[in-house]
Amino acid sequence: MSCSHLSTAWSSAAKVRRAQEAVVSSRPFSEALVEVLYNMNQEIQSEDIDLPLTRQRAVKRVAIVVLTGERGLCGAFNNNVLKKAEARMEDLRQLGVDYTVISVGKKGNAYFQRRDYIPTERFLELAGIPTVKDSQAICDLIYSLFVAEEVDKVELVYSKFVNLVRSDPIIQTLLPMSPKGEICDVNGICVDATEDELFKLTTKEGKLTVEREKIKIEMQPFSPVVQFEQDPVQILDALLPLYLNSQILRALQESLASELAARMSAMSSATDNAIDLRKNLSMVYNRRRQAKITGEILEIVAGADALSG
């Protein structure tokens, strides 16, 4: 492996590690939100609550938020996400449900701008590691669309980080939300918000590897002496947008980690292919050179024989 190859691989690995640290650093806030949501629901579990973000209604129009990368040269990363989004659009067409796209990322923006037949609500771009400001822009847009009943459901398509050579495009339901903060897919299968999974980029036997760790958040109920100045329903209504923002930020961070890992893998494969190509070309060149030299020697020998004869 060349020095430039090593330098490129470790530079990409450092970017993946920074994206990973962003995921880890956002955990305390997400855990605190989940704990408060849990306790709020315990307080009002006997009430018939009606919150804007949890309101279920007949689905006539869906907003699909598609997260892609800002750059190429990352293998099939962007194509896999876009194929997943297109497949979901086809499913909705078959069901007779309208849809609109919110594209996040330059590669997705270019893709949808070339396809006028796909209705697109907004094009958004990111700069570097995702921030709360980036997730808030997406959150504000889908919040306004959903509350104004311009859409009845919001789905998120992005790449979930699995390991350094694999990321899985998934579809997650953002709205309507579960009051308990559960994360659900388009089939209605929900994951408890108290269950989480973290990835860690490490080195093992001189090679980069990723370790995944499942974490269960232990819920502690509020003290019985705690009193709320506001109605718990009002507090829950204020907390759900914050939780929605944290989920979008988490997806942006996972998508970036997937993109960087895909780019690192693609660059590594390209370098390996270039090394193999150089070896093959060198072999072909040396064989032809040897054949030419042998031919010239034979001509010289033949000429010498002719002169001596």
Side-chain angles (χ1 to χ4, degrees):
M1 184 180 287
S2 66
C3 292
S4 61
H5 185 185
L6 276 171
S7 175
T8 300
W10 285 104
S11 174
S12 299
K15 291 179 180 178
V16 176
R17 188 177 284 111
R18 285 198 293 272
Q20 162 197 309
E21 288 170 355
V23 174
V24 174
S25 64
S26 67
R27 269 190 59 79
F29 179 71
S30 295
E31 286 185 11
L33 270 178
V34 169
E35 186 173 355
V36 176
L37 282 171
Y38 172 83
N39 282 286
M40 288 293 100
N41 276 282
Q42 294 299 108
E43 291 287 329
I44 60 177
Q45 59 183 346
S46 60
E47 298 182 26
D48 183 17
I49 61 173
D50 181 25
L51 302 172
L53 293 185
T54 63
R55 202 164 289 154
Q56 301 270 353
R57 51 181 180 262
V59 179
K60 298 177 181 177
R61 191 166 186 251
V62 176
I64 305 174
V65 183
V66 184
L67 305 186
T68 57
E70 295 296 306
R71 295 188 294 131
L73 299 177
C74 49
F77 168 78
N78 290 306
N79 284 339
N80 288 341
V81 175
L82 293 169
K83 285 180 181 178
K84 189 78 170 179
E86 285 268 25
R88 181 56 180 162
M89 293 175 207
E90 180 59 30
D91 290 342
L92 293 173
R93 279 194 290 268
Q94 295 291 334
L95 294 170
V97 176
D98 290 334
Y99 60 85
T100 185
V101 171
I102 298 169
S103 176
V104 183
K106 286 182 180 178
K107 302 307 289 185
N109 292 352
Y111 180 86
F112 291 115
Q113 284 169 351
R114 292 194 300 267
R115 290 161 175 78
D116 295 336
Y117 59 88
I118 298 178
T120 307
E121 186 73 28
R122 191 76 58 85
F123 298 103
L124 301 172
E125 292 182 7
L126 303 176
I129 294 178
T131 63
V132 174
K133 185 178 179 181
D134 296 322
S135 58
Q136 188 63 53
I138 302 171
C139 185
D140 290 343
L141 177 58
I142 64 175
Y143 181 94
S144 61
L145 289 173
F146 187 78
V147 172
E149 299 189 11
E150 293 182 33
V151 299
D152 307 299
K153 190 179 183 184
V154 180
E155 297 175 355
L156 177 67
V157 184
Y158 73 101
S159 277
K160 185 172 179 61
F161 185 90
V162 178
N163 55 43
L164 290 175
V165 294
R166 179 185 160 203
S167 59
D168 291 340
I170 64 170
I171 306 175
Q172 177 181 314
T173 297
L174 288 177
L175 295 173
M177 295 183 72
S178 162
K180 297 179 181 179
E182 290 173 327
I183 303 168
C184 305
D185 63 17
V186 291
N187 298 315
I189 301 172
C190 297
V191 177
D192 194 328
T194 62
E195 295 177 359
D196 201 358
E197 191 176 48
L198 282 180
F199 61 89
K200 292 181 180 179
L201 181 65
T202 61
T203 53
K204 193 173 184 180
E205 298 178 354
K207 294 182 179 180
L208 293 171
T209 185
V210 170
E211 296 177 355
R212 301 194 74 88
E213 178 185 3
K214 288 195 173 182
I215 298 172
K216 177 79 174 179
I217 304 172
E218 297 298 329
M219 294 292 99
Q220 299 295 329
F222 286 155
S223 170
V225 298
V226 172
Q227 293 184 345
F228 300 100
E229 291 186 2
Q230 291 179 296
D231 180 53
V233 175
Q234 289 182 317
I235 298 174
L236 189 60
D237 191 24
L239 286 176
L240 284 176
L242 283 175
Y243 185 70
L244 176 63
N245 189 323
S246 73
Q247 291 304 310
I248 294 172
L249 179 59
R250 175 64 179 261
L252 289 171
Q253 292 166 340
E254 288 247 0
S255 178
L256 176 62
S258 299
E259 179 189 354
L260 293 172
R263 182 168 293 111
M264 183 170 67
S265 178
M267 290 166 66
S268 177
S269 296
T271 303
D272 292 341
N273 291 338
I275 292 171
D276 291 341
L277 180 61
R278 185 179 65 180
K279 287 180 180 178
N280 292 334
L281 288 174
S282 295
M283 289 175 62
V284 171
Y285 171 78
N286 289 332
R287 283 173 185 165
R288 292 189 177 181
R289 180 170 173 269
Q290 187 64 43
K292 184 177 181 182
I293 292 171
T294 303
E296 289 175 352
I297 291 172
L298 290 174
E299 288 178 2
I300 292 170
V301 170
D305 288 343
L307 289 173
S308 62

